[in-house]
Amino acid sequence: MSLSQLAHVCSHLNNVTKARLGLTSIVDTKMHRSLILAMQQQGLIGSIVRGGRSPPPPHLLLGQPTATSATDAATAAASGVIETEPVTQANVASRRLWLGLKYWQSEPVLGKITPVSKPTRRIIMDLPALRRVIRGSRSGTVEGLRSPGECLFLATDRGILEARQCVEKKIGGVVLCRIE
């Protein structure tokens, strides 16, 4: 898990929402993919397409995938990421995640993203500390969640989850980023 790349993704997404762009791309890594999928489950990201350096066709970003077979449609629906081209040894280094961002009444749904853990200092929270943060209290260096739209994403042994999901599953983990 590279937290320095996570900081780059957070600043990139902040800049994209300030510029009010509808489409952007980030480097395709396992951590980025699972973080973006967690954001999509929370309703912050519209669509995710995994492809190359060129942007995908617009119909894929609108949520209308055209799979070539039933197995392609099933795998795309199960993972939440639509594939535009197969992964080969030649193109594995140039893979990108293309994100379709959501806007509501001309305002971006995705708020300000700040990385909590840093490469030099990882913030690990256990279950009691997470419960305090969800209730709005401060726990260590992490401020409490005060508004309904705020999210805190953690890297756990079950993948990247939002803080409320971690409390439901009774697990803790490394705090990755906060969305206000």
Side-chain angles (χ1 to χ4, degrees):
M1 172 173 46
S2 176
L3 294 176
S4 62
Q5 288 183 357
L6 177 69
H8 292 299
V9 168
C10 291
S11 65
H12 176 75
L13 290 176
N14 281 332
N15 292 337
V16 166
T17 57
K18 285 180 186 176
R20 298 192 188 277
L21 298 178
L23 175 68
T24 188
S25 70
I26 60 173
V27 178
D28 183 20
T29 63
K30 288 181 184 178
M31 183 180 72
H32 294 161
R33 193 177 323 125
S34 57
L35 177 65
I36 295 299
L37 282 171
M39 286 182 184
Q40 187 182 32
Q41 287 176 351
Q42 294 298 317
L44 301 171
I45 301 287
S47 61
I48 305 168
V49 177
R50 186 176 175 197
R53 292 180 190 260
S54 61
H59 69 276
L60 291 177
L61 293 171
L62 296 175
Q64 302 163 356
T66 56
T68 57
S69 67
T71 57
D72 291 343
T75 57
S79 70
V81 178
I82 300 169
E83 297 277 342
T84 58
E85 59 188 45
V87 179
T88 62
Q89 283 293 88
N91 71 357
V92 72
S94 64
R95 301 293 289 174
R96 309 286 293 170
L97 287 175
W98 290 89
L99 310 176
L101 301 177
K102 291 172 102 177
Y103 290 89
W104 174 255
Q105 296 179 348
S106 299
E107 291 295 321
V109 173
L110 188 63
K112 181 182 175 189
I113 304 172
T114 54
V116 177
S117 291
K118 298 178 181 172
T120 57
R121 184 175 183 198
R122 293 178 187 232
I123 307 295
I124 299 172
M125 297 188 81
D126 57 350
L127 189 60
L130 272 175
R131 286 187 176 140
R132 284 193 298 274
V133 168
I134 287 175
R135 290 182 187 134
S137 301
R138 183 183 181 102
S139 178
T141 59
V142 180
E143 289 288 329
L145 300 177
R146 300 239 164 98
S147 68
E150 279 187 284
C151 297
L152 191 68
F153 291 98
L154 286 86
T156 66
D157 56 350
R158 296 184 190 172
I160 295 180
L161 301 172
E162 205 271 330
R164 292 169 188 92
Q165 293 173 338
C166 290
V167 170
E168 286 176 7
K169 295 182 179 185
K170 298 182 181 176
I171 53 175
V174 177
V175 182
L176 294 178
C177 63
R178 172 190 201 98
I179 300 177
E180 299 172 10

